């Protein structure tokens, strides 16, 4: 039988048939603890009744019309999201990459309107912003870019968590108009910057007149124990991008902006056929409501701290473990060696994890994680890691 799918993915040898909460069942009926949530997407877990009911109800009423017309669900979600984020306006897209595309276009248009003909956006080494041409050009990972040259111009790269590098860039160039950066680098290996980094970025952007654009596609929607990760820093960005957890699996992305940045995109300058359709927006609204009514942001903070301390207790003395770090339910365990093989071992053991940046085990469990499930995760993972490190 010929393979119908393009070879874009290295898939693990498992297919899931159904899910409930933090659990998934494969086609043989084996159960798995999902500590990845489809890469920070299913924050409410699988088959959440609130999401199911909202989607069924909406699907029975209206799935799609067009942005040629008013869309009540888009208005409702837009009003709620901008209020919660302290932003003025939102553009809805269908993915993270598209949300970042909107932010990049917004920054460029903003610059051109102010007479800057060749605008540049500061981006970080080790970053991940998506797979479209502009977003892979913004991404700080050669593997993501290789073979797709010529890249989109207009990005200036600096080391992450290094204010001096940005000061230098500011001193040497007059065409910088924005910074696009992750509050915590996700794909890059769960890298948490120093405490003052975002506040200093904010001050720099204020001084230079740059837009501070935060890619909260992975960190947003309660993941870090705040609705948005920028809240930890007590700052307010000009632009934020969201996707992953916003629809709990229904594709949706969002680019939010405030102040002058919110007025940049006008009719004809950007758009999307699907973006902000009634079904996706109904999902987003159900996610926001459920996160609030079920106290899931607090739960992410509590269970995240519990996981980190439990994993440190279990693994702290293990040689080969470099660091356990993260915020809320965005947790990385860095080993001193490549550990991609652990993903398949965990799968055998009924646990879904991921390895990023080659030697960082990444945990992104659903925000609904309960204490007993956290205990099971700690137990299973520490056994796997101990076995892995002692084998090598
Ligand atoms: C996943 C991710 C993206 C890309 O989102 P897609 O929906 O895959 O296009 C962009 N930025 C960050 C920080 C991400 O984690």
């Amino acid at each position: 039988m010929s393979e119908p799918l393009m070879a874009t993915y290295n898939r693990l040898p498992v297919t899931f048939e159904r899910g409930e909460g933090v659990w998934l069942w494969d086609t043989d009926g084996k159960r798995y603890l999902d500590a990845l949530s489809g890469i920070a997407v299913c924050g409410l877990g699988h088959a959440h009744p609130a999401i199911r009911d909202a989607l069924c109800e909406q699907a029975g009423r209206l799935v799609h019309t067009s942005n040629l017309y008013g869309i009540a669900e888009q208005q409702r979600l837009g009003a709620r999201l901008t209020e919660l984020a302290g932003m003025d306006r939102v553009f809805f897209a269908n993915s993270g990459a598209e949300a970042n595309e909107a932010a990049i276009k917004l920054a460029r248009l903003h610059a051109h309107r102010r007479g800057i003909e060749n605008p540049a956006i500061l981006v970080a080494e080790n970053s991940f912003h998506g797979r479209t041409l502009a977003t892979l050009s913004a991404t700080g990972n050669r593997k993501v870019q290789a073979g797709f040259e010529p890249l989109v111009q207009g990005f200036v790269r600096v080391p992450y968590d290094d204010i001096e590098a940005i000061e230098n860039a500011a001193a040497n160039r007059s065409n910088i108009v924005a910074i696009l950066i992750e509050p915590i680098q996700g794909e890059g290996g769960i890298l948490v910057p120093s405490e003052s980094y975002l506040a200093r970025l904010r001050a720099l952007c204020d001084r230079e007149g740059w837009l501070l654009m935060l890619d909260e596609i992975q960190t947003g929607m309660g993941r870090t124990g705040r609705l948005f990760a920028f809240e930890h820093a007590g700052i307010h960005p000009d632009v934020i991008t969201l996707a992953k957890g916003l629809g709990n699996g229904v594709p949706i992305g969002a680019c939010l902006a405030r102040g002058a940045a919110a007025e940049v995109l006008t009719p004809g300058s950007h758009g999307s056929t699907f973006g902000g359709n009634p079904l996706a927006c109904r999902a987003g609204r159900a996610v926001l409501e459920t996160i609030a009514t079920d106290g899931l942001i607090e739960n992410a903070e509590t269970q995240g701290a519990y996981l980190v301390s439990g994993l440190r207790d279990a693994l702290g003395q293990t040689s080969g473990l470099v660091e356990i770090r993260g915020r809320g339910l965005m947790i990385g365990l860095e080993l001193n060696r490549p550990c991609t093989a652990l993903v398949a071992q965990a799968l055998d053991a009924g646990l879904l994890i991921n390895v990023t940046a080659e030697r960082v085990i990444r945990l992104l469990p659903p925000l609904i994680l309960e204490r007993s499930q956290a205990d099971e995760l700690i137990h299973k993972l520490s056994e796997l890691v101990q076995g892995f490190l002692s084998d090598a």
Side-chain angles (χ1 to χ4, degrees), residues 39 94-98 100 128-132 135 182 184-187 215-219 241 243-244 252 362:
I39 316 189
N94 312 287
S95 66
E98 278 182 68
N100 283 337
F128 184 79
H129 298 296
R131 298 281 195 161
T132 63
T135 58
E182 296 157 87
I184 295 173
Q185 288 188 328
E187 305 300 308
D215 179 342
E216 291 245 22
I217 288 163
Q218 193 161 148
T219 54
T241 53
K244 294 201 164 89
I252 181 170
R362 176 166 52 167

